[in-house]
Amino acid sequence: NAGVTQTPKFRVLKTGQSMTLLCAQDMNHEYMYWYRQDPGMGLRLIHYSVGEGTTAKGEVPDGYNVSRLKKQNFLLGLESAAPSQTSVYFCASSLVAGNQPQHFGDGTRLSIL
Amino acid sequence: AQSVTQPDIHITVSEGASLELRCNYSYGATPYLFWYVQSPGQGLQLLLKYFSGDTLVQGIKGFEAEFKRSQSSFNLRKPSVHWSDAAEYFCAVGAGDYKLSFGAGTTVTVRA
């Protein structure tokens, strides 16, 4: 009964390094999302996907790239990490958008030094 | 575009007392409304949702929320809080497209 699984759970990077966050869901959901959570700002959408092979920009896409090669996986990449990308990153998935609740992973805590 | 305001950043409540968290939304049509709870170090868990019909909706953990169109509000309530209800609560509004807009959250502290 895994739901949405994010790896890794914690990571510390140096400025300029790159990394990929992995999100996997086992609910056969079409839609997947990447959010970042910062104190006092709620969750902000970075990128989303409406199905395998598709991706689209959300509110705050700059500095991030994504890929959805398989329906169950959604990857978030940081090509050249910056301190402003220090945040908690959440992945979510849903059957369809809008009128169905999103199911969230436990988050990845990322610090950029 | 839709938006959500949670006016209270932090609420402290005594165990056994009632709790009400405010949520105001901005959207031209009938929105899809959600309340999520986030315990420390965890992801967001859905408490309840409103799409249409009865404006008083029941959720998990003894929570309920009431949709008031005239006030553009969707306040969350619990008659008697438990220490385990200490968490951060997020109201969210969806408009039928991909976008789910979240409020900034309300942190609830429960004192013994």
Side-chain angles (χ1 to χ4, degrees), chain B residues 8-110:
Chain B
D8 304 304
I9 296 173
H10 190 195
I11 287 180
T12 299
V13 61
S14 297
E15 192 169 15
S18 63
L19 174 67
E20 182 168 13
L21 303 182
R22 295 183 291 166
C23 172
N24 295 102
Y25 68 89
S26 173
Y27 184 61
T30 300
Y32 305 116
L33 294 162
F34 307 87
W35 274 102
Y36 287 87
V37 60
Q38 183 182 30
S39 299
Q42 302 295 315
L44 278 70
Q45 180 184 20
L46 180 70
L47 283 175
L48 47 77
K49 59 189 178 186
Y50 173 79
F51 297 153
S52 64
D54 193 346
T55 57
L56 184 64
V57 292
Q58 302 297 320
I60 62 171
K61 304 185 180 188
F63 284 92
E64 66 178 25
E66 186 172 12
F67 171 59
K68 292 186 177 181
R69 184 190 304 274
S70 61
Q71 299 178 18
S72 296
S73 69
F74 188 55
N75 293 349
L76 182 71
R77 299 191 292 256
K78 186 169 184 178
S80 176
V81 299
H82 185 262
W83 63 266
S84 61
D85 293 323
E88 189 162 19
Y89 292 80
F90 292 93
C91 181
V93 58
D97 60 4
Y98 69 91
K99 185 173 173 60
L100 194 63
S101 295
F102 287 84
T106 298
T107 299
V108 173
T109 298
V110 180

Side-chain angles (χ1 to χ4, degrees), chain A residues 31 33 35 37 40-43 45 48 50 57-59 88 90 97-107 109, chain B residues 32 34 36 38-46 49 51 88 90 94-105:
Chain A
Y31 282 68
Y33 314 82
Y35 293 90
Q37 183 181 31
M41 303 187 74
L43 275 74
L45 184 66
Y48 66 101
V50 302
K57 295 180 179 180
E59 298 175 71
V88 181
F90 286 100
N99 62 354
Q100 290 294 323
Q102 295 180 14
H103 300 260
F104 286 81
D106 286 340
R109 283 144 189 82
Chain B
Y32 305 116
F34 307 87
Y36 287 87
Q38 183 182 30
S39 299
Q42 302 295 315
L44 278 70
Q45 180 184 20
L46 180 70
K49 59 189 178 186
F51 297 153
E88 189 162 19
F90 292 93
D97 60 4
Y98 69 91
K99 185 173 173 60
L100 194 63
S101 295
F102 287 84

Side-chain angles (χ1 to χ4, degrees), chain A residues 52-73:
Chain A
E52 181 178 313
T54 74
T55 62
K57 295 180 179 180
E59 298 175 71
V60 289
D62 294 343
Y64 305 96
N65 57 75
V66 288
S67 65
R68 183 119 180 251
L69 299 180
K70 294 183 179 181
K71 185 177 182 178
Q72 63 268 35
N73 296 337

